[in-house]
mmCIF file with all atom_site columns, all heavy atoms in Angstrom:
data_model
loop_
_atom_site.group_PDB
_atom_site.id
_atom_site.type_symbol
_atom_site.label_atom_id
_atom_site.label_alt_id
_atom_site.label_comp_id
_atom_site.label_asym_id
_atom_site.label_entity_id
_atom_site.label_seq_id
_atom_site.pdbx_PDB_ins_code
_atom_site.Cartn_x
_atom_site.Cartn_y
_atom_site.Cartn_z
_atom_site.occupancy
_atom_site.B_iso_or_equiv
_atom_site.pdbx_formal_charge
_atom_site.auth_seq_id
_atom_site.auth_comp_id
_atom_site.auth_asym_id
_atom_site.auth_atom_id
_atom_site.pdbx_PDB_model_num
ATOM 1   N N   . ARG A 1 53  ? 109.975 107.683 72.386  1.00 0.00 ? 837  ARG A N   1
ATOM 2   C CA  . ARG A 1 53  ? 108.519 107.720 72.221  1.00 0.00 ? 837  ARG A CA  1
ATOM 3   C C   . ARG A 1 53  ? 108.094 107.387 70.791  1.00 0.00 ? 837  ARG A C   1
ATOM 4   O O   . ARG A 1 53  ? 106.954 106.985 70.564  1.00 0.00 ? 837  ARG A O   1
ATOM 5   C CB  . ARG A 1 53  ? 107.971 109.088 72.645  1.00 0.00 ? 837  ARG A CB  1
ATOM 6   C CG  . ARG A 1 53  ? 108.020 109.294 74.172  1.00 0.00 ? 837  ARG A CG  1
ATOM 7   C CD  . ARG A 1 53  ? 107.905 110.752 74.547  1.00 0.00 ? 837  ARG A CD  1
ATOM 8   N NE  . ARG A 1 53  ? 106.703 111.340 74.015  1.00 0.00 ? 837  ARG A NE  1
ATOM 9   C CZ  . ARG A 1 53  ? 105.502 111.278 74.601  1.00 0.00 ? 837  ARG A CZ  1
ATOM 10  N NH1 . ARG A 1 53  ? 105.377 110.645 75.743  1.00 0.00 ? 837  ARG A NH1 1
ATOM 11  N NH2 . ARG A 1 53  ? 104.458 111.817 74.044  1.00 0.00 ? 837  ARG A NH2 1
ATOM 12  N N   . ARG A 1 84  ? 102.671 97.790  70.220  1.00 0.00 ? 868  ARG A N   1
ATOM 13  C CA  . ARG A 1 84  ? 102.558 98.380  71.558  1.00 0.00 ? 868  ARG A CA  1
ATOM 14  C C   . ARG A 1 84  ? 102.307 97.309  72.609  1.00 0.00 ? 868  ARG A C   1
ATOM 15  O O   . ARG A 1 84  ? 102.808 97.382  73.724  1.00 0.00 ? 868  ARG A O   1
ATOM 16  C CB  . ARG A 1 84  ? 101.393 99.365  71.582  1.00 0.00 ? 868  ARG A CB  1
ATOM 17  C CG  . ARG A 1 84  ? 101.757 100.709 70.985  1.00 0.00 ? 868  ARG A CG  1
ATOM 18  C CD  . ARG A 1 84  ? 100.541 101.566 70.911  1.00 0.00 ? 868  ARG A CD  1
ATOM 19  N NE  . ARG A 1 84  ? 100.880 102.934 70.576  1.00 0.00 ? 868  ARG A NE  1
ATOM 20  C CZ  . ARG A 1 84  ? 99.996  103.811 70.114  1.00 0.00 ? 868  ARG A CZ  1
ATOM 21  N NH1 . ARG A 1 84  ? 98.747  103.450 69.936  1.00 0.00 ? 868  ARG A NH1 1
ATOM 22  N NH2 . ARG A 1 84  ? 100.365 105.044 69.849  1.00 0.00 ? 868  ARG A NH2 1
ATOM 23  N N   . THR A 1 87  ? 105.434 95.807  73.693  1.00 0.00 ? 871  THR A N   1
ATOM 24  C CA  . THR A 1 87  ? 106.462 96.743  74.170  1.00 0.00 ? 871  THR A CA  1
ATOM 25  C C   . THR A 1 87  ? 105.985 97.370  75.472  1.00 0.00 ? 871  THR A C   1
ATOM 26  O O   . THR A 1 87  ? 104.913 97.959  75.522  1.00 0.00 ? 871  THR A O   1
ATOM 27  C CB  . THR A 1 87  ? 106.664 97.867  73.126  1.00 0.00 ? 871  THR A CB  1
ATOM 28  O OG1 . THR A 1 87  ? 106.926 97.273  71.864  1.00 0.00 ? 871  THR A OG1 1
ATOM 29  C CG2 . THR A 1 87  ? 107.811 98.766  73.521  1.00 0.00 ? 871  THR A CG2 1
ATOM 30  N N   . ASN A 1 95  ? 102.679 107.763 85.449  1.00 0.00 ? 879  ASN A N   1
ATOM 31  C CA  . ASN A 1 95  ? 101.421 107.618 84.711  1.00 0.00 ? 879  ASN A CA  1
ATOM 32  C C   . ASN A 1 95  ? 100.597 106.410 85.155  1.00 0.00 ? 879  ASN A C   1
ATOM 33  O O   . ASN A 1 95  ? 99.996  105.724 84.324  1.00 0.00 ? 879  ASN A O   1
ATOM 34  C CB  . ASN A 1 95  ? 101.669 107.549 83.208  1.00 0.00 ? 879  ASN A CB  1
ATOM 35  C CG  . ASN A 1 95  ? 102.194 108.861 82.656  1.00 0.00 ? 879  ASN A CG  1
ATOM 36  O OD1 . ASN A 1 95  ? 102.205 109.868 83.372  1.00 0.00 ? 879  ASN A OD1 1
ATOM 37  N ND2 . ASN A 1 95  ? 102.635 108.875 81.422  1.00 0.00 ? 879  ASN A ND2 1
ATOM 38  N N   . LEU A 1 96  ? 100.565 106.160 86.458  1.00 0.00 ? 880  LEU A N   1
ATOM 39  C CA  . LEU A 1 96  ? 99.641  105.137 86.957  1.00 0.00 ? 880  LEU A CA  1
ATOM 40  C C   . LEU A 1 96  ? 98.229  105.704 86.875  1.00 0.00 ? 880  LEU A C   1
ATOM 41  O O   . LEU A 1 96  ? 98.045  106.924 86.833  1.00 0.00 ? 880  LEU A O   1
ATOM 42  C CB  . LEU A 1 96  ? 99.987  104.778 88.403  1.00 0.00 ? 880  LEU A CB  1
ATOM 43  C CG  . LEU A 1 96  ? 101.337 104.087 88.592  1.00 0.00 ? 880  LEU A CG  1
ATOM 44  C CD1 . LEU A 1 96  ? 101.585 103.839 90.082  1.00 0.00 ? 880  LEU A CD1 1
ATOM 45  C CD2 . LEU A 1 96  ? 101.397 102.774 87.829  1.00 0.00 ? 880  LEU A CD2 1
ATOM 46  N N   . PHE A 1 97  ? 97.238  104.821 86.863  1.00 0.00 ? 881  PHE A N   1
ATOM 47  C CA  . PHE A 1 97  ? 95.855  105.282 86.822  1.00 0.00 ? 881  PHE A CA  1
ATOM 48  C C   . PHE A 1 97  ? 95.390  105.514 88.267  1.00 0.00 ? 881  PHE A C   1
ATOM 49  O O   . PHE A 1 97  ? 95.208  104.551 89.025  1.00 0.00 ? 881  PHE A O   1
ATOM 50  C CB  . PHE A 1 97  ? 94.972  104.257 86.102  1.00 0.00 ? 881  PHE A CB  1
ATOM 51  C CG  . PHE A 1 97  ? 95.520  103.876 84.752  1.00 0.00 ? 881  PHE A CG  1
ATOM 52  C CD1 . PHE A 1 97  ? 95.688  102.555 84.389  1.00 0.00 ? 881  PHE A CD1 1
ATOM 53  C CD2 . PHE A 1 97  ? 95.886  104.861 83.833  1.00 0.00 ? 881  PHE A CD2 1
ATOM 54  C CE1 . PHE A 1 97  ? 96.209  102.207 83.148  1.00 0.00 ? 881  PHE A CE1 1
ATOM 55  C CE2 . PHE A 1 97  ? 96.407  104.531 82.588  1.00 0.00 ? 881  PHE A CE2 1
ATOM 56  C CZ  . PHE A 1 97  ? 96.570  103.201 82.249  1.00 0.00 ? 881  PHE A CZ  1
ATOM 57  N N   . PRO A 1 98  ? 95.204  106.781 88.679  1.00 0.00 ? 882  PRO A N   1
ATOM 58  C CA  . PRO A 1 98  ? 94.995  107.066 90.102  1.00 0.00 ? 882  PRO A CA  1
ATOM 59  C C   . PRO A 1 98  ? 93.675  106.547 90.650  1.00 0.00 ? 882  PRO A C   1
ATOM 60  O O   . PRO A 1 98  ? 93.535  106.376 91.859  1.00 0.00 ? 882  PRO A O   1
ATOM 61  C CB  . PRO A 1 98  ? 95.033  108.601 90.165  1.00 0.00 ? 882  PRO A CB  1
ATOM 62  C CG  . PRO A 1 98  ? 94.697  109.056 88.792  1.00 0.00 ? 882  PRO A CG  1
ATOM 63  C CD  . PRO A 1 98  ? 95.196  107.995 87.858  1.00 0.00 ? 882  PRO A CD  1
ATOM 64  N N   . HIS A 1 99  ? 92.704  106.295 89.758  1.00 0.00 ? 883  HIS A N   1
ATOM 65  C CA  . HIS A 1 99  ? 91.386  105.855 90.239  1.00 0.00 ? 883  HIS A CA  1
ATOM 66  C C   . HIS A 1 99  ? 91.316  104.340 90.383  1.00 0.00 ? 883  HIS A C   1
ATOM 67  O O   . HIS A 1 99  ? 90.290  103.812 90.797  1.00 0.00 ? 883  HIS A O   1
ATOM 68  C CB  . HIS A 1 99  ? 90.297  106.337 89.280  1.00 0.00 ? 883  HIS A CB  1
ATOM 69  C CG  . HIS A 1 99  ? 90.451  105.793 87.888  1.00 0.00 ? 883  HIS A CG  1
ATOM 70  N ND1 . HIS A 1 99  ? 91.585  106.018 87.121  1.00 0.00 ? 883  HIS A ND1 1
ATOM 71  C CD2 . HIS A 1 99  ? 89.642  105.030 87.120  1.00 0.00 ? 883  HIS A CD2 1
ATOM 72  C CE1 . HIS A 1 99  ? 91.446  105.415 85.947  1.00 0.00 ? 883  HIS A CE1 1
ATOM 73  N NE2 . HIS A 1 99  ? 90.269  104.811 85.926  1.00 0.00 ? 883  HIS A NE2 1
ATOM 74  N N   . ARG A 1 112 ? 91.460  93.667  79.391  1.00 0.00 ? 896  ARG A N   1
ATOM 75  C CA  . ARG A 1 112 ? 90.812  94.340  78.250  1.00 0.00 ? 896  ARG A CA  1
ATOM 76  C C   . ARG A 1 112 ? 91.486  94.059  76.925  1.00 0.00 ? 896  ARG A C   1
ATOM 77  O O   . ARG A 1 112 ? 90.847  94.093  75.899  1.00 0.00 ? 896  ARG A O   1
ATOM 78  C CB  . ARG A 1 112 ? 90.785  95.857  78.480  1.00 0.00 ? 896  ARG A CB  1
ATOM 79  C CG  . ARG A 1 112 ? 90.040  96.288  79.701  1.00 0.00 ? 896  ARG A CG  1
ATOM 80  C CD  . ARG A 1 112 ? 88.561  96.052  79.566  1.00 0.00 ? 896  ARG A CD  1
ATOM 81  N NE  . ARG A 1 112 ? 87.999  95.753  80.878  1.00 0.00 ? 896  ARG A NE  1
ATOM 82  C CZ  . ARG A 1 112 ? 86.796  95.230  81.080  1.00 0.00 ? 896  ARG A CZ  1
ATOM 83  N NH1 . ARG A 1 112 ? 86.027  94.934  80.049  1.00 0.00 ? 896  ARG A NH1 1
ATOM 84  N NH2 . ARG A 1 112 ? 86.366  94.986  82.303  1.00 0.00 ? 896  ARG A NH2 1
ATOM 85  N N   . VAL A 1 113 ? 92.804  93.823  76.946  1.00 0.00 ? 897  VAL A N   1
ATOM 86  C CA  . VAL A 1 113 ? 93.501  93.584  75.677  1.00 0.00 ? 897  VAL A CA  1
ATOM 87  C C   . VAL A 1 113 ? 93.627  92.090  75.405  1.00 0.00 ? 897  VAL A C   1
ATOM 88  O O   . VAL A 1 113 ? 93.345  91.627  74.315  1.00 0.00 ? 897  VAL A O   1
ATOM 89  C CB  . VAL A 1 113 ? 94.902  94.243  75.689  1.00 0.00 ? 897  VAL A CB  1
ATOM 90  C CG1 . VAL A 1 113 ? 95.637  93.969  74.385  1.00 0.00 ? 897  VAL A CG1 1
ATOM 91  C CG2 . VAL A 1 113 ? 94.781  95.742  75.907  1.00 0.00 ? 897  VAL A CG2 1
ATOM 92  N N   . ALA A 1 143 ? 98.157  106.899 94.985  1.00 0.00 ? 927  ALA A N   1
ATOM 93  C CA  . ALA A 1 143 ? 98.461  108.068 95.819  1.00 0.00 ? 927  ALA A CA  1
ATOM 94  C C   . ALA A 1 143 ? 98.960  107.682 97.212  1.00 0.00 ? 927  ALA A C   1
ATOM 95  O O   . ALA A 1 143 ? 99.526  108.510 97.918  1.00 0.00 ? 927  ALA A O   1
ATOM 96  C CB  . ALA A 1 143 ? 97.226  108.954 95.935  1.00 0.00 ? 927  ALA A CB  1
ATOM 97  N N   . GLY B 2 112 ? 99.569  112.060 80.060  1.00 0.00 ? 1123 GLY B N   1
ATOM 98  C CA  . GLY B 2 112 ? 100.232 110.785 80.351  1.00 0.00 ? 1123 GLY B CA  1
ATOM 99  C C   . GLY B 2 112 ? 99.255  109.644 80.596  1.00 0.00 ? 1123 GLY B C   1
ATOM 100 O O   . GLY B 2 112 ? 99.599  108.483 80.390  1.00 0.00 ? 1123 GLY B O   1
ATOM 101 N N   . GLN B 2 113 ? 98.038  109.957 81.034  1.00 0.00 ? 1124 GLN B N   1
ATOM 102 C CA  . GLN B 2 113 ? 97.049  108.912 81.278  1.00 0.00 ? 1124 GLN B CA  1
ATOM 103 C C   . GLN B 2 113 ? 96.691  108.203 79.970  1.00 0.00 ? 1124 GLN B C   1
ATOM 104 O O   . GLN B 2 113 ? 96.656  106.980 79.904  1.00 0.00 ? 1124 GLN B O   1
ATOM 105 C CB  . GLN B 2 113 ? 95.785  109.526 81.908  1.00 0.00 ? 1124 GLN B CB  1
ATOM 106 C CG  . GLN B 2 113 ? 96.005  110.033 83.316  1.00 0.00 ? 1124 GLN B CG  1
ATOM 107 C CD  . GLN B 2 113 ? 96.218  108.903 84.293  1.00 0.00 ? 1124 GLN B CD  1
ATOM 108 O OE1 . GLN B 2 113 ? 95.386  108.025 84.429  1.00 0.00 ? 1124 GLN B OE1 1
ATOM 109 N NE2 . GLN B 2 113 ? 97.355  108.898 84.964  1.00 0.00 ? 1124 GLN B NE2 1
ATOM 110 N N   . GLU B 2 115 ? 98.473  108.288 77.244  1.00 0.00 ? 1126 GLU B N   1
ATOM 111 C CA  . GLU B 2 115 ? 99.688  107.663 76.700  1.00 0.00 ? 1126 GLU B CA  1
ATOM 112 C C   . GLU B 2 115 ? 99.966  106.323 77.366  1.00 0.00 ? 1126 GLU B C   1
ATOM 113 O O   . GLU B 2 115 ? 100.347 105.362 76.698  1.00 0.00 ? 1126 GLU B O   1
ATOM 114 C CB  . GLU B 2 115 ? 100.880 108.603 76.886  1.00 0.00 ? 1126 GLU B CB  1
ATOM 115 C CG  . GLU B 2 115 ? 100.805 109.809 75.970  1.00 0.00 ? 1126 GLU B CG  1
ATOM 116 C CD  . GLU B 2 115 ? 102.011 110.717 76.112  1.00 0.00 ? 1126 GLU B CD  1
ATOM 117 O OE1 . GLU B 2 115 ? 102.810 110.529 77.052  1.00 0.00 ? 1126 GLU B OE1 1
ATOM 118 O OE2 . GLU B 2 115 ? 102.149 111.626 75.263  1.00 0.00 ? 1126 GLU B OE2 1
ATOM 119 N N   . HIS B 2 118 ? 97.674  103.842 75.807  1.00 0.00 ? 1129 HIS B N   1
ATOM 120 C CA  . HIS B 2 118 ? 98.163  103.448 74.481  1.00 0.00 ? 1129 HIS B CA  1
ATOM 121 C C   . HIS B 2 118 ? 99.354  102.506 74.615  1.00 0.00 ? 1129 HIS B C   1
ATOM 122 O O   . HIS B 2 118 ? 99.439  101.509 73.908  1.00 0.00 ? 1129 HIS B O   1
ATOM 123 C CB  . HIS B 2 118 ? 98.604  104.686 73.685  1.00 0.00 ? 1129 HIS B CB  1
ATOM 124 C CG  . HIS B 2 118 ? 97.460  105.408 73.034  1.00 0.00 ? 1129 HIS B CG  1
ATOM 125 N ND1 . HIS B 2 118 ? 96.518  104.762 72.267  1.00 0.00 ? 1129 HIS B ND1 1
ATOM 126 C CD2 . HIS B 2 118 ? 97.105  106.710 73.027  1.00 0.00 ? 1129 HIS B CD2 1
ATOM 127 C CE1 . HIS B 2 118 ? 95.638  105.645 71.815  1.00 0.00 ? 1129 HIS B CE1 1
ATOM 128 N NE2 . HIS B 2 118 ? 95.967  106.835 72.272  1.00 0.00 ? 1129 HIS B NE2 1
ATOM 129 N N   . ALA B 2 119 ? 100.275 102.864 75.520  1.00 0.00 ? 1130 ALA B N   1
ATOM 130 C CA  . ALA B 2 119 ? 101.498 102.066 75.663  1.00 0.00 ? 1130 ALA B CA  1
ATOM 131 C C   . ALA B 2 119 ? 101.172 100.637 76.099  1.00 0.00 ? 1130 ALA B C   1
ATOM 132 O O   . ALA B 2 119 ? 101.919 99.710  75.796  1.00 0.00 ? 1130 ALA B O   1
ATOM 133 C CB  . ALA B 2 119 ? 102.450 102.724 76.657  1.00 0.00 ? 1130 ALA B CB  1
ATOM 134 N N   . LEU B 2 122 ? 95.922  99.334  74.941  1.00 0.00 ? 1133 LEU B N   1
ATOM 135 C CA  . LEU B 2 122 ? 94.461  99.477  75.080  1.00 0.00 ? 1133 LEU B CA  1
ATOM 136 C C   . LEU B 2 122 ? 93.894  100.223 73.868  1.00 0.00 ? 1133 LEU B C   1
ATOM 137 O O   . LEU B 2 122 ? 94.556  101.090 73.291  1.00 0.00 ? 1133 LEU B O   1
ATOM 138 C CB  . LEU B 2 122 ? 94.114  100.261 76.347  1.00 0.00 ? 1133 LEU B CB  1
ATOM 139 C CG  . LEU B 2 122 ? 94.533  99.634  77.674  1.00 0.00 ? 1133 LEU B CG  1
ATOM 140 C CD1 . LEU B 2 122 ? 94.283  100.617 78.814  1.00 0.00 ? 1133 LEU B CD1 1
ATOM 141 C CD2 . LEU B 2 122 ? 93.770  98.345  77.924  1.00 0.00 ? 1133 LEU B CD2 1
ATOM 142 N N   . ARG B 2 130 ? 87.534  103.402 80.475  1.00 0.00 ? 1141 ARG B N   1
ATOM 143 C CA  . ARG B 2 130 ? 88.118  102.844 81.709  1.00 0.00 ? 1141 ARG B CA  1
ATOM 144 C C   . ARG B 2 130 ? 89.093  103.792 82.389  1.00 0.00 ? 1141 ARG B C   1
ATOM 145 O O   . ARG B 2 130 ? 89.365  103.646 83.575  1.00 0.00 ? 1141 ARG B O   1
ATOM 146 C CB  . ARG B 2 130 ? 88.875  101.543 81.386  1.00 0.00 ? 1141 ARG B CB  1
ATOM 147 C CG  . ARG B 2 130 ? 88.034  100.472 80.791  1.00 0.00 ? 1141 ARG B CG  1
ATOM 148 C CD  . ARG B 2 130 ? 87.332  99.708  81.869  1.00 0.00 ? 1141 ARG B CD  1
ATOM 149 N NE  . ARG B 2 130 ? 86.221  98.949  81.309  1.00 0.00 ? 1141 ARG B NE  1
ATOM 150 C CZ  . ARG B 2 130 ? 85.421  98.184  82.045  1.00 0.00 ? 1141 ARG B CZ  1
ATOM 151 N NH1 . ARG B 2 130 ? 85.618  98.087  83.342  1.00 0.00 ? 1141 ARG B NH1 1
ATOM 152 N NH2 . ARG B 2 130 ? 84.427  97.544  81.488  1.00 0.00 ? 1141 ARG B NH2 1
ATOM 153 N N   . ILE B 2 131 ? 89.672  104.733 81.628  1.00 0.00 ? 1142 ILE B N   1
ATOM 154 C CA  . ILE B 2 131 ? 90.705  105.583 82.217  1.00 0.00 ? 1142 ILE B CA  1
ATOM 155 C C   . ILE B 2 131 ? 90.268  107.043 82.272  1.00 0.00 ? 1142 ILE B C   1
ATOM 156 O O   . ILE B 2 131 ? 90.298  107.671 83.325  1.00 0.00 ? 1142 ILE B O   1
ATOM 157 C CB  . ILE B 2 131 ? 92.034  105.452 81.419  1.00 0.00 ? 1142 ILE B CB  1
ATOM 158 C CG1 . ILE B 2 131 ? 92.525  104.001 81.484  1.00 0.00 ? 1142 ILE B CG1 1
ATOM 159 C CG2 . ILE B 2 131 ? 93.093  106.395 81.991  1.00 0.00 ? 1142 ILE B CG2 1
ATOM 160 C CD1 . ILE B 2 131 ? 93.721  103.719 80.613  1.00 0.00 ? 1142 ILE B CD1 1
ATOM 161 N N   . GLN B 2 135 ? 87.799  109.239 85.656  1.00 0.00 ? 1146 GLN B N   1
ATOM 162 C CA  . GLN B 2 135 ? 88.495  110.319 86.367  1.00 0.00 ? 1146 GLN B CA  1
ATOM 163 C C   . GLN B 2 135 ? 87.840  111.670 86.110  1.00 0.00 ? 1146 GLN B C   1
ATOM 164 O O   . GLN B 2 135 ? 87.691  112.487 87.024  1.00 0.00 ? 1146 GLN B O   1
ATOM 165 C CB  . GLN B 2 135 ? 89.954  110.385 85.906  1.00 0.00 ? 1146 GLN B CB  1
ATOM 166 C CG  . GLN B 2 135 ? 90.750  109.163 86.301  1.00 0.00 ? 1146 GLN B CG  1
ATOM 167 C CD  . GLN B 2 135 ? 92.205  109.317 85.913  1.00 0.00 ? 1146 GLN B CD  1
ATOM 168 O OE1 . GLN B 2 135 ? 92.911  110.190 86.408  1.00 0.00 ? 1146 GLN B OE1 1
ATOM 169 N NE2 . GLN B 2 135 ? 92.676  108.468 85.029  1.00 0.00 ? 1146 GLN B NE2 1
ATOM 170 N N   . ALA B 2 212 ? 89.875  106.416 95.776  1.00 0.00 ? 1223 ALA B N   1
ATOM 171 C CA  . ALA B 2 212 ? 91.309  106.720 95.806  1.00 0.00 ? 1223 ALA B CA  1
ATOM 172 C C   . ALA B 2 212 ? 91.570  107.912 96.713  1.00 0.00 ? 1223 ALA B C   1
ATOM 173 O O   . ALA B 2 212 ? 92.456  107.886 97.562  1.00 0.00 ? 1223 ALA B O   1
ATOM 174 C CB  . ALA B 2 212 ? 91.820  107.002 94.408  1.00 0.00 ? 1223 ALA B CB  1
ATOM 175 N N   . TYR B 2 216 ? 93.444  107.979 100.385 1.00 0.00 ? 1227 TYR B N   1
ATOM 176 C CA  . TYR B 2 216 ? 94.585  108.859 100.623 1.00 0.00 ? 1227 TYR B CA  1
ATOM 177 C C   . TYR B 2 216 ? 94.359  109.674 101.885 1.00 0.00 ? 1227 TYR B C   1
ATOM 178 O O   . TYR B 2 216 ? 95.267  109.858 102.688 1.00 0.00 ? 1227 TYR B O   1
ATOM 179 C CB  . TYR B 2 216 ? 94.755  109.774 99.410  1.00 0.00 ? 1227 TYR B CB  1
ATOM 180 C CG  . TYR B 2 216 ? 96.005  110.609 99.466  1.00 0.00 ? 1227 TYR B CG  1
ATOM 181 C CD1 . TYR B 2 216 ? 97.244  110.007 99.576  1.00 0.00 ? 1227 TYR B CD1 1
ATOM 182 C CD2 . TYR B 2 216 ? 95.941  111.996 99.438  1.00 0.00 ? 1227 TYR B CD2 1
ATOM 183 C CE1 . TYR B 2 216 ? 98.394  110.756 99.629  1.00 0.00 ? 1227 TYR B CE1 1
ATOM 184 C CE2 . TYR B 2 216 ? 97.082  112.755 99.491  1.00 0.00 ? 1227 TYR B CE2 1
ATOM 185 C CZ  . TYR B 2 216 ? 98.315  112.134 99.592  1.00 0.00 ? 1227 TYR B CZ  1
ATOM 186 O OH  . TYR B 2 216 ? 99.444  112.889 99.659  1.00 0.00 ? 1227 TYR B OH  1
#
Side-chain angles (χ1 to χ4, degrees):
Chain A
R837 288 162 57 84
R868 280 174 170 162
T871 307
N879 293 350
L880 294 178
F881 308 129
H883 61 301
R896 300 291 148 195
V897 179
Chain B
Q1124 291 290 303
E1126 289 182 349
H1129 279 310
L1133 298 173
R1141 300 276 163 180
I1142 299 173
Q1146 294 184 64
Y1227 187 58

